[in-house]
Amino acid sequence: MTITRIEPRRYSPPLPHARGPLSQAVVTALREGIPPSTVPPQEGDPYGEDLQLALYVLYELHYQGFDGVDDDREWDPALLAFRRALEERFLTALRADVPVDTGAHEALDELQVEPVGDDGTGVSHFLRNEGRLEHLREYAALRSLYHLKEADPHAWVIPRLHGRAKAAMAAVEFDEFGAGRADEIHAGLFADLMEDLGLRTAYGYYLEAAPAELLATVNLMSLFGLHRSLRGALTGHFAAVEVTSSPGSRRLAEALRRVGAGEAAVRFYDEHVVADAVHEQVVRHDVIGGLLESEPGLEADVVFGIRATGFLEDRLAARLLADWRGGRTALRTGALPPGRADSPGLVGEPARRDADGDVAKEW
């Protein structure tokens, strides 16, 4: 079956339901066009549902925004002050939990040493070896909060780099954005994967379903990307993603083939197996190497970015595996409905399409 490319970012998503007083203050302020009605307290879980959703919503003002929210709220001073207080709690917790006790290249080397066999902690190992179709659909739904804007958060660092690091980072991002071809943009390829699996492809559609552990992994990129002072951490994050992507993508492609997913679903991860194996070397030698050559004082920040990425990904993996092995859905909103009838190999709800043939606005 031919997959018709749609535009997942054609619309801005609606504001989500709050998960506590912090996210309620943000959602209300955006919905009513007023400043936040409270000041973030200094206590509470920095990795919890409420703070992470509040941060996610504030960060999204710099990307796609929200339906009915004035674009000018992106730079609203009261919202920025509120966001800064949340960021300080998140960043303080990360600095306390993430060790920075080695050099950047040593930290990258650690990422290349995988456990012998499956040590029981790897999501991609679980999905390849025993995951069912519903697990892969849940995984794709959750990861869509990043992959439908893949490479966007990392692009913030390009104006903050120099020389070899800037040139190399731009080259890798060029590939992520399709190397000049709109139909090869990686975010679009992920939308094809979602369509293949019978998932809604609208940008931000699965925000309500995403637990705090997933939101934190996405928020980390925006936290690093929106602060020049954290440019070293963002390059460390980018390096960690590229170094670990190829072997993980190979396992996910194998998992999708095993459950009978269609060609478009498998293609996304096959593309990353090849592309990220090349990107890994460019990032290691030219992005990280070039950055530390010009700004050696940023090495600790690079290590922090690498380690913080692993720390939050490990928390997400523990959450997903505990739910799946316990026979539960990992989605806050409950199990996904069956796939759509026009998706390869899947049955269920037919896609609703608008007059142009695109999937209709889905909220």
Side-chain angles (χ1 to χ4, degrees), residues 1-5 127 132-133 135-141 143 147 150 186-199 201 248-273 342-346:
M1 174 180 236
T2 299
I3 299 296
T4 301
R5 172 62 58 82
L127 292 172
R132 299 188 298 274
L133 178 60
H135 297 137
L136 284 154
R137 295 181 73 227
E138 287 190 6
Y139 185 75
R143 287 295 193 184
H147 281 307
E150 185 170 341
H186 286 187
L189 297 181
F190 195 80
D192 292 345
L193 175 149
M194 296 178 73
E195 181 80 357
D196 197 311
L197 294 178
L199 297 170
T201 60
S249 293
R250 181 177 292 107
R251 288 188 287 270
L252 290 168
E254 292 169 357
L256 287 162
R257 288 189 176 94
R258 182 173 59 79
V259 301
E263 179 182 347
V266 175
R267 185 190 175 207
F268 175 81
Y269 287 110
D270 277 346
E271 170 71 16
H272 282 70
V273 171
D342 63 347
S343 298
L346 301 177

Side-chain angles (χ1 to χ4, degrees), residues 286-303:
D286 293 318
V287 177
I288 298 297
L291 174 67
L292 296 183
E293 184 179 87
S294 62
E295 298 186 87
L298 294 181
E299 183 159 19
D301 285 347
V302 172
V303 175

